[in-house]
Amino acid sequence: MIDFSRARERMIASHLSRRGIRNDHVVKAMRVVPREAFVDPGFEEFAYEDSALSIGHGQTISQPYIVALMIERAEVQPGDTVLEIGTGSGYAAAVLSRIAAHVYTMERHAGLARIAGQRFADLRYKNIDVRVGDGTTGWPEAGPFDAILVAAGSPEIPYALKQQLDLGGHLVIPVGPPDEQRLLKVTRVSATTFKEQDLGGVRFVPLIGEYGWHDERAEPRARQSLRPAPTLSQMVASAAEPLPAFDDPAFGRLFDRFAGRRVVLLGEASHGTSEFYRARAAITRRLIEEHGFTIVAVEADWPDAAAIDRYVRHRAPGMLQDAPFQRFPVWMWRNREVMEFVEWMRELNGSREASDRAGFHGLDIYNMRGSIAAVLRYLDQTDPQAAAVARARYGCLTPWQNEPSTYGRAAMTAGFRKCEEAVVEQCRELLEKQLEAGRGSGDELLDAVQNARLVASAERYYRIMYYAGPDSWNMRDSHMFETLEHLLYARGDQSKAVVWAHNSHIGDARHTDMGTAREELNIGQLCRERYGHQAVLIGFGTHSGRVAAASDWDGDMEVKTIRASLEGSYERVLHDSGVARFLIDFARHAPLSECLLKPMLERFIGVIYRPETERLSHYSHASLPRQFDAFVWFDETNPVEPLGPEHTRAGVPDTFPFGL
């Protein structure tokens, strides 16, 4: 009876260590993988000899030293994603799987692939995917790869494999004539630069495929060196990770890669597209349920969102005089998509301790009237004397509470400097009160402080808006960012937030016309500057379909047809990829990112959509891979479904936030 454990140790000592294999990951992996399980029946006694063994179909299982050498030279590390070309018996893939996070292995012989797959299943190696196909074209949708290992000799290095390497990744491949090759290590230095290193002479079976040899007689493919470079849209198609249905758990899992960040910012290319809301909801559900996110911060007014927050966190109802989200554009938050997400939050929070419940908060500054009322209600309950002072301070804003956009012109007259000083003083006093109370001050004081901050910011916003220029935009986004920071502080050092806002707010403004031409900043830029890699910016886009929007400010909502994206725009490049819905993670696709860096047109649809002047009204130049860290694409989209009286539920008009 053969003692395979002793045979493995002898193999490591005699064939690996003595020949210079020193990598701990490689040695440990080869110590645990049973090579006897990967040879044909009857050949088990030869499993640990340093020789290649036949496995049928004219293929061999490589000698242990070569397997170890290629893995070591490829610098495979824990957490890596690896592609192997030439599955064969499956032994090398099995060794790789004990080191890397995931192994993709390709075999052109279906019989060998089937047997290898069964061996992986028997050994319970669950991080290996096997595909039958032409290995010379690679596995683009699974890449980019930290390492690619090719177990067959090629006449030259296949272009497709080089392009599927991540920056800093390594490709180890035998290259040369059929009788003997040189083992080359190719390292990707940049999008277009590769460094080669000769590791010595080897002999492998021929690499058969479109960009390898023609057949086992080792006849090279005709015109393989004339292969044209892929177009931008073809590169997008290779990089695209298709999106499953919104209710498929796999949808949310695609975004687990971002779960370790402090802030995940999710955009939208319009304020009235169902797919954008549903996608953000699916991603956010996953981050809340599985990854500890407790803050949902949206591009909505604080007092309106506070009513939703009370509902989803099972807090006592507030005294908001009006139903939330009644200010134009009503459909932006009063829609079925948001309602379904809010109901999900309430149900999930019902099973959690109060301190662990996820909150729903507004970042914006427009509802000055609602915030003044909220501050006064809080002070009436906690400090009536302070409430009287606050009423006097806010009195100068009273004539403009319903139409604050007219305040800017009035503020030019004498005496209104005192109004600014008064609202700032009110905000300062409440902030001091919160700081004295500390993080345990509770939701009610936090709510009052944020409303006081909103009033102070809104007063300044409407005052400087009269002068036009970038100041009003910058003041608004700075306020939203500061509100986000206050929320993160209030929930503790380990808190994490998801932000829902338009692409124009969450994409880094420095890489758009906003920053380069108009000196505007936004939340995305401020988050990158404050949190660095701990913030991830994810944009959204579409080519065509329909959208809920108005023709003018304060106009009625209409369902409008979205015009097909313009030639020369990012949207047209993504559309021409032919993939209907996908995620692109720019960090995983350096070559594509490099090619997309040069600014192109990008479409922005807000609550107003004017297709008749679309180029002037809705397109701006941007550098997409610098503006966002990732991008979500839906080629054809549909409008949100606004809520009407038919959505009111009998018996709960006082507690249900969307009751009419």
Side-chain angles (χ1 to χ4, degrees):
M1 185 70 178
I2 301 173
D3 186 339
F4 289 116
S5 296
R6 289 190 60 188
R8 275 195 294 278
E9 291 300 327
R10 188 170 60 250
M11 173 194 74
I12 291 169
S14 301
H15 306 315
L16 304 186
S17 299
R18 289 180 184 176
R19 298 180 68 179
I21 301 299
R22 297 286 184 265
N23 187 286
D24 286 342
H25 297 307
V26 176
V27 172
K28 289 178 181 178
M30 296 190 75
R31 180 171 280 131
V32 299
V33 175
R35 194 167 189 259
E36 68 274 13
F38 292 88
V39 300
D40 287 348
F43 287 85
E44 291 87 353
E45 63 180 296
F46 306 108
Y48 294 99
E49 299 299 321
D50 195 37
S51 59
L53 299 174
S54 174
I55 55 174
H57 297 277
Q59 307 300 303
T60 60
I61 176 174
S62 298
Q63 63 192 97
Y65 170 71
I66 288 296
V67 172
L69 176 69
M70 293 180 71
I71 297 174
E72 184 176 70
R73 294 298 186 268
E75 301 181 33
V76 178
Q77 299 292 323
D80 281 355
T81 300
V82 178
L83 174 65
E84 182 201 32
I85 306 302
T87 309
S89 69
Y91 176 66
V95 175
L96 285 164
S97 76
R98 301 305 87 194
I99 305 172
H102 206 98
V103 178
Y104 296 88
T105 180
M106 297 187 67
E107 173 57 56
R108 69 188 184 92
H109 296 289
L112 290 178
R114 178 181 54 78
I115 294 171
Q118 186 58 55
R119 287 168 175 161
F120 301 147
D122 292 343
L123 292 168
R124 298 184 180 180
Y125 292 173
K126 298 181 179 180
N127 62 333
I128 307 175
D129 284 344
V130 186
R131 170 182 282 187
V132 178
D134 180 359
T136 66
T137 63
W139 197 328
E141 62 269 33
F145 301 101
D146 301 292
I148 301 176
L149 290 81
V150 183
S154 177
E156 62 182 25
I157 304 170
Y159 174 84
L161 298 186
K162 291 173 67 175
Q163 291 304 308
Q164 290 169 40
L165 268 184
D166 205 347
L167 280 179
H170 308 289
L171 163 64
V172 177
I173 180 173
V175 176
D179 53 344
E180 187 171 0
Q181 305 93 32
R182 306 298 295 180
L183 190 63
L184 301 183
K185 176 180 178 179
V186 181
T187 302
R188 183 166 210 153
V189 179
S190 72
T192 57
T193 308
F194 299 84
K195 181 178 71 174
E196 293 185 11
Q197 179 183 359
D198 190 329
L199 303 178
V202 290
R203 181 175 294 178
F204 281 79
V205 297
L207 178 66
I208 310 300
E210 183 178 358
Y211 303 107
W213 296 102
H214 181 266
D215 57 24
E216 282 80 353
R217 294 174 297 174
E219 297 177 1
R221 284 280 180 182
R223 295 185 299 140
Q224 59 184 354
S225 62
L226 300 178
R227 183 187 185 192
T231 66
L232 263 181
S233 293
Q234 288 170 336
M235 294 178 72
V236 169
S238 295
E241 299 178 54
L243 294 171
F246 294 118
D247 57 0
D248 186 333
F251 190 103
R253 285 199 299 268
L254 274 173
F255 296 84
D256 283 352
R257 70 194 73 184
F258 307 121
R261 312 296 179 94
R262 184 86 191 272
V263 183
V264 176
L265 297 98
L266 303 176
E268 60 183 1
S270 78
H271 282 316
T273 295
S274 177
E275 284 79 4
F276 299 157
Y277 283 83
R278 295 174 68 193
R280 294 189 300 193
I283 297 165
T284 306
R285 286 197 299 267
R286 177 76 179 178
L287 295 175
I288 291 173
E289 277 189 304
E290 302 295 335
H291 301 293
F293 283 71
T294 56
I295 298 168
V296 181
V298 304
E299 185 188 341
D301 297 325
W302 178 274
D304 299 83
I308 308 300
D309 184 59
R310 291 179 178 276
Y311 179 73
V312 300
R313 285 204 283 156
H314 299 265
R315 295 168 56 200
M319 295 184 293
L320 191 66
Q321 295 175 346
D322 302 318
F325 304 129
Q326 290 296 312
R327 184 184 60 80
F328 175 86
V330 174
W331 70 88
M332 183 174 163
W333 295 110
R334 292 179 71 82
N335 59 60
R336 176 179 288 278
E337 290 80 359
V338 172
M339 180 183 73
E340 290 174 351
F341 176 69
V342 163
E343 288 292 355
W344 175 87
M345 285 189 73
R346 177 176 170 84
E347 182 178 357
L348 178 73
N349 282 336
S351 63
R352 292 183 166 188
E353 296 293 329
S355 59
D356 296 328
R357 291 171 182 169
F360 187 94
H361 308 282
L363 300 175
D364 222 335
I365 64 174
Y366 287 123
N367 194 352
M368 184 165 67
R369 176 173 178 266
S371 288
I372 289 175
V375 171
L376 296 177
R377 283 196 302 272
Y378 172 78
L379 292 175
D380 281 339
Q381 295 173 356
T382 61
D383 191 341
Q385 187 174 356
V389 174
R391 279 187 169 84
R393 286 171 172 165
Y394 286 152
C396 60
L397 292 174
T398 301
W400 292 275
Q401 285 187 45
N402 292 325
E403 291 294 336
S405 60
T406 61
Y407 173 73
R409 183 170 181 176
M412 295 177 64
T413 61
F416 273 86
R417 174 62 61 181
K418 294 181 179 179
C419 191
E420 176 192 5
E421 294 170 354
V423 297
V424 170
E425 179 65 16
Q426 186 62 53
C427 178
R428 185 189 63 77
E429 286 185 5
L430 280 168
L431 281 169
E432 286 181 353
K433 188 173 183 179
Q434 185 188 36
L435 288 172
E436 290 173 5
R439 281 178 172 163
S441 58
D443 292 317
E444 300 302 328
L445 179 54
L446 172 66
D447 189 49
V449 169
Q450 293 304 325
N451 277 302
R453 288 186 63 252
L454 187 152
V455 175
S457 294
E459 186 276 333
R460 182 165 179 251
Y461 174 81
Y462 289 116
R463 176 159 39 85
I464 63 180
M465 187 174 70
Y466 184 77
Y467 296 96
D471 288 348
S472 59
W473 173 278
N474 292 346
M475 191 260 133
R476 178 187 173 204
D477 269 55
S478 295
H479 171 88
M480 290 198 281
F481 172 71
E482 290 163 7
T483 301
L484 175 64
E485 284 202 299
H486 278 272
L487 286 167
L488 288 165
Y489 172 81
R491 293 304 293 262
D493 294 337
Q494 302 304 311
S495 61
K496 296 193 287 186
V498 185
V499 176
W500 293 15
H502 196 275
N503 284 350
S504 57
H505 291 293
I506 70 103
D508 192 328
R510 293 171 294 184
H511 305 294
T512 71
D513 280 348
M514 294 168 58
T516 59
R518 301 196 296 274
E519 298 183 334
E520 293 174 342
L521 52 75
N522 63 7
I523 306 171
Q525 172 185 339
L526 295 171
C527 279
R528 275 185 174 170
E529 291 173 347
R530 171 67 175 84
Y531 298 107
H533 185 67
Q534 287 301 304
V536 61
L537 283 49
I538 305 175
F540 286 65
T542 186
H543 167 69
S544 63
R546 299 181 303 150
V547 66
S551 296
D552 296 288
W553 192 261
D554 274 337
D556 293 333
M557 190 211 83
E558 306 169 50
V559 174
K560 299 192 171 195
T561 298
I562 302 173
R563 297 182 64 177
S565 57
L566 294 178
E567 292 287 347
S569 67
Y570 281 115
E571 287 81 4
R572 180 53 64 94
V573 170
L574 301 179
H575 166 71
D576 287 345
S577 72
V579 186
R581 39 191 284 156
F582 57 80
L583 164 71
I584 288 182
D585 183 348
F586 291 121
R588 295 190 176 190
H589 300 283
L592 173 63
S593 299
E594 190 94 5
C595 293
L596 290 174
L597 283 179
K598 185 177 180 180
M600 298 172 63
L601 290 173
E602 180 184 336
R603 181 159 56 190
F604 298 83
I605 299 174
V607 296
I608 309 299
Y609 181 45
R610 294 172 178 155
E612 64 277 5
T613 59
E614 185 166 60
R615 170 61 183 87
L616 293 175
S617 300
H618 299 290
Y619 278 92
S620 183
H621 283 90
S623 176
L624 201 71
R626 288 184 172 137
Q627 182 187 9
F628 301 108
D629 299 298
F631 203 76
V632 175
W633 177 255
F634 298 99
D635 199 64
E636 185 173 351
T637 49
N638 297 283
V640 293
E641 182 182 343
L643 295 181
E646 69 274 13
H647 296 288
T648 304
R649 298 190 316 188
V652 289
D654 296 328
T655 59
F656 186 61
F658 293 100
L660 300 176

